[in-house]
Amino acid sequence: MPSYNFIDFHAHPAAELRRLRNRLQSAGAVASVLYPIDVDPTLSLTLSGLFRLARDLGMVVDAKSVVREVYDLVSKWPEYMIDPMKLWYEVFKEGTSEFFIPFSSINPSFGSRYVKQKIWEMGHLGLRGVFVSPVLQFFNPAKSPAFRELMEYSEKNEVLVIIHIGMPREIDEKLITHALPNHLSEVLEEYRPNIVVSGLGTSPERVSLWVRGVARVMRKYDNVYLVTPDINCYLFNNDSARSIINSLGADRMIFGSGYPYRRYRDLVASIKCVEGSTNIRDNDKDEIMIENALDLLRFHGFKLNMIDTLNA
């Protein structure tokens, strides 16, 4: 058994849930947040969002190539990966609700009426967090009225927003300009829910640029947090990132693995990069690995036995 515990704040239900739970527990996880991704499996609505995004950005897009890339990814997912309601039922049916914390996901590129419907569904299920991905859902946070509607609802109802604005190499480079961290600033000037930024899949050559962009947003808005899948070793074992940690503090950084998209050995390596870091104090490691996640979950009204057990 590992000698440490952590909450994994970034996992996707892309595998059978009991197996996913068992693998995470074997690495020391006491709980995991699950993010579905609301996309249209037929890609007809996705295509509309893609053309709208291209128009907003004033560029020509090889739509066939982009859609093929997205379809190749989506076709490998289980059904509950793209349907928050099915995920919620699956978590309870499989008896994994003591471990997994299911979030909702809403796709702003499908329009305001759709967002309102999904907000109702999220409230009906009692879900207190929502995941969005401008990269895979093809919307611009700074330009989307539907996203602003979701942000307004989240602020008023204390719903935690997770936004994936990574910069993967698989997506046409022209199409990720809308996902740069600075685009959040325009929305955050108006709406201030707690928002956790993730960059899972950001290619190595873009990591430094991406992290520093997020840091600029975090310094301006104290309601923005950073979850660390794919960047743990850069942040905590790279001297060039020491100034970022010092300027932001450890209290707004939250451990995430990205498992199962990242391999199990990558999960173990990420844990070691935090645990063995000489750039942060032991108390900071505790905050990053478990305490910051608990504080956010508690603030947003997540009622789970896991939290009660850890606080006992």
Coordinates of all heavy atoms in Angstrom, one line a residue, residues 62-139:
D62 N -10.1 23.1 -42.2 CA -10.2 21.8 -42.8 C -11.2 21.0 -41.9 O -10.7 20.2 -41.1 CB -8.9 21.1 -43.0 CG -8.9 19.8 -43.6 OD1 -10.1 19.4 -44.0 OD2 -7.9 19.1 -43.8
A63 N -12.5 21.2 -42.1 CA -13.5 20.6 -41.3 C -13.4 19.1 -41.3 O -13.6 18.4 -40.3 CB -14.9 21.1 -41.7
K64 N -13.2 18.5 -42.5 CA -13.2 17.1 -42.6 C -12.1 16.5 -41.7 O -12.4 15.5 -41.0 CB -13.1 16.7 -44.0 CG -13.2 15.2 -44.3 CD -13.0 14.8 -45.8 CE -14.1 15.4 -46.6 NZ -14.0 14.9 -48.0
S65 N -11.0 17.1 -41.7 CA -9.8 16.5 -41.0 C -10.1 16.7 -39.5 O -9.9 15.7 -38.7 CB -8.6 17.3 -41.3 OG -7.5 16.9 -40.5
V66 N -10.6 17.8 -39.0 CA -10.9 18.0 -37.6 C -12.0 17.1 -37.1 O -11.8 16.5 -36.0 CB -11.3 19.5 -37.3 CG1 -11.7 19.7 -35.9 CG2 -10.1 20.4 -37.7
V67 N -13.1 17.0 -37.8 CA -14.1 16.1 -37.4 C -13.7 14.7 -37.3 O -14.1 13.9 -36.4 CB -15.4 16.3 -38.4 CG1 -16.4 15.1 -38.1 CG2 -16.0 17.6 -38.2
R68 N -12.8 14.3 -38.3 CA -12.3 12.9 -38.2 C -11.5 12.7 -37.0 O -11.6 11.6 -36.3 CB -11.5 12.6 -39.5 CG -10.9 11.2 -39.5 CD -10.3 10.9 -40.9 NE -9.2 11.8 -41.2 CZ -9.3 12.7 -42.2 NH1 -10.3 12.8 -43.0 NH2 -8.2 13.5 -42.4
E69 N -10.7 13.6 -36.6 CA -9.9 13.5 -35.4 C -10.8 13.4 -34.1 O -10.5 12.6 -33.3 CB -9.0 14.7 -35.2 CG -7.8 14.8 -36.3 CD -7.1 16.1 -36.2 OE1 -7.5 17.0 -35.5 OE2 -6.1 16.2 -36.9
V70 N -11.8 14.2 -34.1 CA -12.7 14.2 -32.9 C -13.5 12.9 -32.9 O -13.7 12.2 -31.9 CB -13.7 15.4 -33.0 CG1 -14.7 15.3 -31.8 CG2 -12.9 16.7 -32.8
Y71 N -14.0 12.4 -34.1 CA -14.7 11.2 -34.2 C -13.9 10.0 -33.7 O -14.4 9.1 -33.0 CB -15.3 11.0 -35.6 CG -16.1 9.7 -35.7 CD1 -17.4 9.7 -35.2 CD2 -15.5 8.5 -36.2 CE1 -18.1 8.5 -35.3 CE2 -16.3 7.4 -36.2 CZ -17.6 7.3 -35.8 OH -18.3 6.2 -35.8
D72 N -12.6 10.0 -34.1 CA -11.7 8.9 -33.7 C -11.6 8.8 -32.2 O -11.5 7.7 -31.6 CB -10.4 9.1 -34.4 CG -10.4 8.7 -35.9 OD1 -11.4 8.1 -36.3 OD2 -9.4 9.1 -36.6
L73 N -11.6 10.0 -31.6 CA -11.5 10.0 -30.1 C -12.8 9.6 -29.5 O -12.9 8.8 -28.6 CB -11.1 11.5 -29.7 CG -10.9 11.7 -28.2 CD1 -9.7 10.9 -27.7 CD2 -10.7 13.2 -28.0
V74 N -13.9 10.2 -29.9 CA -15.2 10.0 -29.3 C -15.7 8.5 -29.5 O -16.3 8.0 -28.6 CB -16.3 10.9 -29.9 CG1 -17.7 10.6 -29.4 CG2 -16.0 12.4 -29.5
S75 N -15.4 7.9 -30.6 CA -15.8 6.6 -30.9 C -15.3 5.5 -29.9 O -15.8 4.4 -29.8 CB -15.5 6.2 -32.3 OG -14.1 6.1 -32.5
K76 N -14.2 5.9 -29.2 CA -13.6 5.0 -28.3 C -14.2 5.1 -26.8 O -13.8 4.3 -26.0 CB -12.1 5.2 -28.2 CG -11.4 5.0 -29.5 CD -9.9 5.5 -29.4 CE -9.2 5.5 -30.8 NZ -7.9 6.1 -30.8
W77 N -15.0 6.1 -26.6 CA -15.5 6.3 -25.3 C -16.8 5.4 -25.0 O -17.6 5.2 -25.9 CB -16.0 7.8 -25.1 CG -14.8 8.7 -25.2 CD1 -13.5 8.5 -25.0 CD2 -15.0 10.2 -25.4 NE1 -12.8 9.7 -25.1 CE2 -13.7 10.7 -25.4 CE3 -16.0 11.0 -25.7 CZ2 -13.4 12.0 -25.5 CZ3 -15.8 12.4 -25.8 CH2 -14.5 12.9 -25.8
P78 N -16.9 5.0 -23.7 CA -18.2 4.4 -23.3 C -19.3 5.5 -23.3 O -19.0 6.7 -23.3 CB -17.9 3.9 -21.9 CG -16.8 4.8 -21.4 CD -16.0 5.1 -22.6
E79 N -20.6 5.0 -23.4 CA -21.7 5.9 -23.6 C -21.8 6.9 -22.4 O -22.1 8.1 -22.7 CB -23.0 5.1 -23.7 CG -24.1 5.9 -24.2 CD -25.4 5.1 -24.5 OE1 -25.4 3.9 -24.1 OE2 -26.3 5.6 -25.1
Y80 N -21.5 6.5 -21.2 CA -21.6 7.4 -20.1 C -20.5 8.5 -20.0 O -20.5 9.4 -19.2 CB -21.7 6.6 -18.8 CG -20.6 5.6 -18.5 CD1 -19.3 6.0 -18.2 CD2 -20.9 4.2 -18.6 CE1 -18.3 5.0 -17.9 CE2 -20.0 3.3 -18.3 CZ -18.7 3.7 -18.0 OH -17.7 2.7 -17.7
M81 N -19.5 8.4 -20.9 CA -18.5 9.4 -21.0 C -19.1 10.7 -21.6 O -18.6 11.8 -21.2 CB -17.4 8.9 -21.9 CG -16.3 10.0 -22.2 SD -15.2 10.2 -20.8 CE -13.9 11.2 -21.6
I82 N -20.1 10.6 -22.4 CA -20.7 11.8 -23.1 C -22.1 12.1 -22.5 O -22.7 13.1 -23.0 CB -20.8 11.6 -24.6 CG1 -21.7 10.5 -25.0 CG2 -19.4 11.5 -25.2 CD1 -21.8 10.3 -26.5
D83 N -22.6 11.4 -21.5 CA -23.9 11.6 -21.0 C -23.8 11.7 -19.5 O -23.8 10.6 -18.8 CB -24.8 10.5 -21.5 CG -26.3 10.8 -21.1 OD1 -26.6 11.4 -20.1 OD2 -27.2 10.4 -21.9
P84 N -23.9 12.9 -18.9 CA -23.7 13.0 -17.4 C -24.8 12.2 -16.7 O -24.5 11.7 -15.6 CB -23.9 14.5 -17.2 CG -23.4 15.1 -18.5 CD -23.9 14.2 -19.6
M85 N -26.0 12.2 -17.2 CA -27.1 11.5 -16.5 C -26.8 10.0 -16.4 O -26.9 9.3 -15.4 CB -28.5 11.7 -17.2 CG -29.6 11.0 -16.4 SD -31.2 11.5 -17.0 CE -31.4 13.2 -16.3
K86 N -26.3 9.4 -17.6 CA -26.0 8.0 -17.6 C -24.8 7.7 -16.7 O -24.7 6.7 -16.0 CB -25.7 7.5 -19.0 CG -27.0 7.4 -19.8 CD -26.7 6.9 -21.2 CE -28.0 6.8 -22.0 NZ -27.8 6.4 -23.4
L87 N -23.8 8.7 -16.6 CA -22.7 8.5 -15.7 C -23.1 8.5 -14.3 O -22.7 7.6 -13.5 CB -21.7 9.6 -16.0 CG -20.5 9.7 -15.0 CD1 -19.7 8.4 -15.1 CD2 -19.6 10.9 -15.2
W88 N -24.0 9.4 -13.9 CA -24.5 9.4 -12.5 C -25.2 8.1 -12.2 O -24.9 7.6 -11.1 CB -25.6 10.6 -12.4 CG -26.1 10.8 -11.1 CD1 -25.5 11.7 -10.1 CD2 -27.2 10.3 -10.5 NE1 -26.3 11.7 -9.0 CE2 -27.4 10.8 -9.2 CE3 -28.2 9.4 -10.9 CZ2 -28.4 10.5 -8.3 CZ3 -29.3 9.0 -10.0 CH2 -29.3 9.6 -8.7
Y89 N -26.0 7.6 -13.0 CA -26.6 6.3 -12.8 C -25.6 5.1 -12.7 O -25.7 4.2 -11.9 CB -27.7 5.9 -13.8 CG -29.0 6.7 -13.6 CD1 -29.5 7.6 -14.5 CD2 -29.8 6.5 -12.4 CE1 -30.6 8.3 -14.3 CE2 -30.9 7.2 -12.2 CZ -31.4 8.1 -13.2 OH -32.5 8.8 -13.0
E90 N -24.6 5.2 -13.6 CA -23.6 4.1 -13.6 C -22.8 4.1 -12.3 O -22.4 3.1 -11.8 CB -22.7 4.4 -14.8 CG -21.7 3.2 -15.1 CD -22.4 2.0 -15.7 OE1 -23.5 2.2 -16.2 OE2 -21.8 1.0 -15.8
V91 N -22.4 5.3 -11.8 CA -21.7 5.4 -10.6 C -22.4 4.7 -9.4 O -21.8 3.9 -8.7 CB -21.4 6.9 -10.2 CG1 -20.9 7.0 -8.8 CG2 -20.3 7.4 -11.2
F92 N -23.7 4.9 -9.3 CA -24.5 4.3 -8.3 C -24.8 2.8 -8.5 O -24.7 2.0 -7.6 CB -25.8 5.1 -8.0 CG -25.5 6.4 -7.3 CD1 -25.3 7.6 -8.0 CD2 -25.5 6.4 -5.9 CE1 -25.0 8.7 -7.3 CE2 -25.3 7.6 -5.2 CZ -25.0 8.7 -5.9
K93 N -25.0 2.5 -9.8 CA -25.3 1.1 -10.2 C -24.1 0.2 -9.9 O -24.3 -0.9 -9.4 CB -25.7 1.0 -11.6 CG -26.1 -0.4 -12.1 CD -26.3 -0.5 -13.6 CE -25.0 -0.6 -14.2 NZ -25.1 -0.9 -15.7
E94 N -22.9 0.7 -10.2 CA -21.7 0.0 -10.0 C -21.2 0.0 -8.5 O -20.2 -0.6 -8.2 CB -20.6 0.5 -10.9 CG -20.9 0.2 -12.4 CD -20.9 -1.3 -12.7 OE1 -20.0 -2.0 -12.2 OE2 -21.8 -1.7 -13.4
G95 N -21.9 0.7 -7.7 CA -21.5 0.8 -6.3 C -20.2 1.5 -6.0 O -19.4 1.2 -5.1
T96 N -19.9 2.5 -6.9 CA -18.6 3.3 -6.7 C -18.9 4.7 -6.2 O -18.0 5.5 -6.3 CB -17.9 3.3 -8.1 OG1 -18.8 3.9 -9.1 CG2 -17.5 1.9 -8.5
S97 N -20.1 5.0 -5.7 CA -20.4 6.3 -5.3 C -19.6 6.8 -4.0 O -19.5 8.0 -3.8 CB -21.9 6.5 -5.0 OG -22.3 5.6 -4.0
E98 N -19.0 5.8 -3.3 CA -18.2 6.2 -2.1 C -16.8 6.7 -2.6 O -16.1 7.3 -1.8 CB -18.0 5.0 -1.2 CG -19.3 4.5 -0.6 CD -19.9 5.5 0.3 OE1 -19.2 6.0 1.2 OE2 -21.1 5.8 0.2
F99 N -16.5 6.5 -3.9 CA -15.2 6.9 -4.3 C -15.2 8.0 -5.4 O -14.5 9.0 -5.3 CB -14.5 5.7 -4.9 CG -13.1 6.0 -5.4 CD1 -12.0 6.0 -4.5 CD2 -12.8 6.2 -6.8 CE1 -10.7 6.3 -5.0 CE2 -11.6 6.4 -7.3 CZ -10.5 6.5 -6.4
F100 N -16.1 7.8 -6.4 CA -16.2 8.8 -7.5 C -17.1 9.9 -7.2 O -18.2 9.8 -6.6 CB -16.7 8.1 -8.8 CG -15.7 7.2 -9.4 CD1 -15.9 5.9 -9.6 CD2 -14.4 7.7 -9.7 CE1 -15.0 5.0 -10.2 CE2 -13.4 6.9 -10.3 CZ -13.7 5.6 -10.6
I101 N -16.7 11.1 -7.7 CA -17.5 12.3 -7.5 C -17.9 12.7 -9.0 O -17.1 13.4 -9.7 CB -16.7 13.5 -6.9 CG1 -16.2 13.0 -5.5 CG2 -17.6 14.7 -6.7 CD1 -15.1 13.9 -4.9
P102 N -19.1 12.4 -9.4 CA -19.4 12.7 -10.8 C -19.8 14.1 -11.0 O -20.6 14.7 -10.3 CB -20.6 11.7 -11.1 CG -21.3 11.5 -9.8 CD -20.2 11.6 -8.8
F103 N -19.3 14.7 -12.1 CA -19.6 16.1 -12.5 C -20.6 16.0 -13.7 O -20.8 15.0 -14.3 CB -18.4 16.8 -12.9 CG -17.7 17.6 -11.8 CD1 -17.5 17.0 -10.6 CD2 -17.2 18.9 -12.0 CE1 -16.9 17.7 -9.6 CE2 -16.6 19.6 -11.0 CZ -16.4 19.0 -9.8
S104 N -21.2 17.1 -14.0 CA -22.0 17.2 -15.2 C -21.1 17.8 -16.3 O -19.9 18.1 -16.0 CB -23.2 18.2 -15.0 OG -23.9 18.3 -16.2
S105 N -21.5 17.8 -17.5 CA -20.8 18.5 -18.6 C -21.9 19.1 -19.5 O -22.9 18.4 -19.7 CB -20.0 17.5 -19.4 OG -19.3 18.2 -20.5
I106 N -21.7 20.3 -19.9 CA -22.6 21.0 -20.8 C -21.9 21.6 -21.9 O -20.8 22.2 -21.7 CB -23.4 22.1 -20.0 CG1 -24.2 21.4 -18.9 CG2 -24.3 22.9 -20.9 CD1 -25.0 22.4 -18.0
N107 N -22.4 21.5 -23.1 CA -21.7 22.0 -24.3 C -22.3 23.3 -24.7 O -23.4 23.3 -25.3 CB -21.9 20.9 -25.4 CG -20.9 21.3 -26.6 OD1 -20.6 22.4 -26.8 ND2 -20.6 20.2 -27.3
P108 N -21.6 24.4 -24.5 CA -22.2 25.7 -24.9 C -22.3 25.9 -26.4 O -23.2 26.8 -26.8 CB -21.1 26.7 -24.3 CG -20.5 26.0 -23.2 CD -20.4 24.5 -23.7
S109 N -21.6 25.2 -27.2 CA -21.8 25.4 -28.6 C -23.1 24.9 -29.1 O -23.5 25.2 -30.3 CB -20.6 24.6 -29.4 OG -20.8 23.2 -29.3
F110 N -23.9 24.2 -28.3 CA -25.2 23.8 -28.7 C -26.3 24.8 -28.5 O -27.5 24.6 -28.8 CB -25.6 22.5 -28.0 CG -24.8 21.3 -28.4 CD1 -24.8 20.2 -27.6 CD2 -23.9 21.3 -29.4 CE1 -24.0 19.1 -27.9 CE2 -23.1 20.2 -29.7 CZ -23.2 19.1 -29.0
G111 N -25.9 26.0 -27.9 CA -26.8 27.1 -27.7 C -27.5 27.3 -26.4 O -27.4 26.4 -25.5
S112 N -28.1 28.4 -26.2 CA -28.6 28.8 -24.8 C -29.8 27.9 -24.4 O -29.9 27.6 -23.2 CB -29.0 30.3 -24.8 OG -27.9 31.1 -25.0
R113 N -30.7 27.6 -25.3 CA -31.8 26.7 -25.0 C -31.3 25.4 -24.5 O -31.8 24.9 -23.5 CB -32.7 26.6 -26.2 CG -33.9 25.7 -25.9 CD -34.9 25.6 -27.1 NE -35.4 26.8 -27.5 CZ -36.2 27.0 -28.5 NH1 -36.6 25.9 -29.3 NH2 -36.7 28.2 -28.8
Y114 N -30.3 24.8 -25.1 CA -29.8 23.6 -24.7 C -29.1 23.7 -23.4 O -29.3 22.8 -22.5 CB -28.7 23.1 -25.8 CG -28.1 21.8 -25.4 CD1 -28.6 20.6 -25.8 CD2 -26.8 21.8 -24.8 CE1 -28.0 19.4 -25.5 CE2 -26.2 20.6 -24.5 CZ -26.8 19.4 -24.8 OH -26.1 18.2 -24.5
V115 N -28.4 24.8 -23.1 CA -27.7 25.0 -21.9 C -28.7 25.0 -20.7 O -28.5 24.5 -19.7 CB -26.8 26.2 -21.9 CG1 -26.4 26.6 -20.5 CG2 -25.6 26.0 -22.8
K116 N -29.8 25.7 -21.0 CA -30.9 25.8 -19.9 C -31.4 24.4 -19.6 O -31.7 24.1 -18.4 CB -32.0 26.7 -20.4 CG -31.6 28.2 -20.4 CD -32.7 29.1 -21.0 CE -32.3 30.5 -21.0 NZ -33.4 31.4 -21.6
Q117 N -31.7 23.6 -20.6 CA -32.2 22.3 -20.4 C -31.2 21.5 -19.6 O -31.6 20.7 -18.6 CB -32.4 21.6 -21.7 CG -32.8 20.1 -21.6 CD -32.8 19.4 -23.0 OE1 -33.0 20.1 -24.0 NE2 -32.7 18.1 -23.0
K118 N -29.9 21.6 -19.9 CA -28.9 20.8 -19.2 C -28.7 21.3 -17.8 O -28.3 20.5 -16.9 CB -27.6 20.8 -20.0 CG -27.6 19.9 -21.2 CD -27.9 18.5 -20.9 CE -27.9 17.6 -22.1 NZ -28.1 16.1 -21.7
I119 N -28.8 22.6 -17.6 CA -28.8 23.1 -16.2 C -29.9 22.6 -15.3 O -29.6 22.2 -14.2 CB -28.8 24.7 -16.3 CG1 -27.5 25.3 -16.7 CG2 -29.2 25.3 -14.9 CD1 -27.6 26.8 -16.9
W120 N -31.1 22.4 -15.9 CA -32.1 21.8 -15.2 C -31.8 20.3 -14.8 O -32.0 19.9 -13.7 CB -33.4 21.8 -16.0 CG -34.6 21.1 -15.3 CD1 -35.5 21.7 -14.4 CD2 -34.9 19.7 -15.3 NE1 -36.3 20.7 -13.9 CE2 -36.0 19.5 -14.5 CE3 -34.4 18.6 -16.1 CZ2 -36.6 18.2 -14.3 CZ3 -34.9 17.4 -15.9 CH2 -36.0 17.2 -15.0
E121 N -31.2 19.6 -15.8 CA -30.9 18.2 -15.6 C -29.8 18.1 -14.5 O -29.9 17.3 -13.6 CB -30.3 17.6 -16.9 CG -29.9 16.2 -16.8 CD -29.3 15.7 -18.1 OE1 -30.1 15.7 -19.1 OE2 -28.1 15.4 -18.1
M122 N -28.8 19.0 -14.5 CA -27.8 19.0 -13.5 C -28.4 19.3 -12.1 O -28.0 18.6 -11.1 CB -26.7 20.1 -13.8 CG -25.6 20.2 -12.8 SD -24.2 21.3 -13.5 CE -25.1 22.9 -13.7
G123 N -29.3 20.2 -12.0 CA -29.9 20.5 -10.7 C -30.8 19.3 -10.2 O -30.8 19.0 -9.1
H124 N -31.5 18.6 -11.2 CA -32.3 17.5 -10.9 C -31.5 16.3 -10.3 O -31.9 15.6 -9.4 CB -33.0 17.0 -12.2 CG -33.8 15.7 -12.0 ND1 -35.0 15.7 -11.2 CD2 -33.6 14.5 -12.5 CE1 -35.4 14.4 -11.3 NE2 -34.6 13.7 -12.0
L125 N -30.3 16.2 -10.8 CA -29.4 15.1 -10.3 C -28.6 15.5 -9.1 O -28.0 14.7 -8.4 CB -28.4 14.7 -11.4 CG -29.0 14.0 -12.6 CD1 -27.9 13.8 -13.7 CD2 -29.7 12.7 -12.3
G126 N -28.7 16.8 -8.7 CA -27.9 17.3 -7.6 C -26.4 17.4 -7.8 O -25.6 17.3 -6.8
L127 N -26.0 17.5 -9.1 CA -24.6 17.7 -9.4 C -24.1 19.1 -9.1 O -24.8 20.0 -9.5 CB -24.3 17.3 -10.8 CG -24.7 15.8 -11.2 CD1 -24.6 15.6 -12.7 CD2 -23.9 14.8 -10.4
R128 N -23.0 19.2 -8.5 CA -22.5 20.5 -8.0 C -21.3 21.0 -8.8 O -20.7 22.0 -8.5 CB -22.1 20.5 -6.5 CG -23.2 20.0 -5.6 CD -24.4 20.9 -5.6 NE -23.9 22.3 -5.3 CZ -24.6 23.4 -5.6 NH1 -25.8 23.3 -6.2 NH2 -24.2 24.6 -5.3
G129 N -20.9 20.3 -9.9 CA -19.8 20.7 -10.7 C -20.1 20.4 -12.2 O -20.9 19.5 -12.5
V130 N -19.5 21.3 -13.0 CA -19.7 21.1 -14.5 C -18.4 21.2 -15.2 O -17.6 22.1 -14.9 CB -20.7 22.2 -15.0 CG1 -20.3 23.6 -14.8 CG2 -21.1 21.9 -16.4
F131 N -18.2 20.4 -16.2 CA -17.0 20.4 -17.0 C -17.3 20.8 -18.4 O -18.2 20.4 -19.0 CB -16.4 18.9 -17.0 CG -15.2 18.7 -17.9 CD1 -14.0 19.1 -17.4 CD2 -15.3 18.3 -19.2 CE1 -12.8 18.9 -18.1 CE2 -14.2 18.1 -20.0 CZ -12.9 18.4 -19.4
V132 N -16.4 21.8 -18.9 CA -16.5 22.2 -20.3 C -15.1 22.1 -20.9 O -14.1 22.2 -20.2 CB -17.1 23.7 -20.4 CG1 -18.5 23.7 -19.9 CG2 -16.2 24.7 -19.6
S133 N -15.1 22.0 -22.2 CA -13.9 21.9 -23.0 C -14.0 22.7 -24.3 O -14.5 22.1 -25.3 CB -13.5 20.4 -23.3 OG -12.4 20.3 -24.1
P134 N -13.5 23.9 -24.3 CA -13.5 24.7 -25.6 C -12.8 24.0 -26.7 O -13.2 24.1 -27.9 CB -12.8 26.0 -25.2 CG -13.0 26.1 -23.7 CD -13.0 24.7 -23.2
V135 N -11.8 23.1 -26.4 CA -11.0 22.5 -27.4 C -11.9 21.4 -28.1 O -11.9 21.3 -29.3 CB -9.8 21.8 -26.8 CG1 -9.0 21.0 -27.8 CG2 -8.9 22.9 -26.1
L136 N -12.6 20.6 -27.3 CA -13.4 19.5 -27.9 C -14.8 19.9 -28.2 O -15.5 19.2 -29.0 CB -13.3 18.3 -27.0 CG -12.0 17.6 -26.9 CD1 -12.0 16.4 -25.9 CD2 -11.5 17.1 -28.3
Q137 N -15.3 20.9 -27.6 CA -16.7 21.3 -27.8 C -16.8 22.5 -28.8 O -17.9 22.9 -29.1 CB -17.4 21.7 -26.4 CG -17.5 20.5 -25.5 CD -18.0 20.9 -24.1 OE1 -17.7 22.0 -23.6 NE2 -18.7 20.0 -23.5
F138 N -15.7 23.0 -29.2 CA -15.6 24.1 -30.2 C -16.4 25.3 -29.9 O -17.4 25.7 -30.6 CB -16.0 23.5 -31.6 CG -15.1 22.4 -32.1 CD1 -15.6 21.1 -32.3 CD2 -13.8 22.7 -32.3 CE1 -14.7 20.1 -32.7 CE2 -12.9 21.7 -32.8 CZ -13.4 20.4 -33.0
F139 N -16.1 25.9 -28.8 CA -16.7 27.2 -28.5 C -15.6 28.2 -27.9 O -14.6 27.7 -27.4 CB -17.9 27.1 -27.5 CG -17.5 26.8 -26.1 CD1 -17.3 27.9 -25.1 CD2 -17.3 25.5 -25.6 CE1 -16.9 27.6 -23.8 CE2 -16.9 25.3 -24.3 CZ -16.7 26.3 -23.4

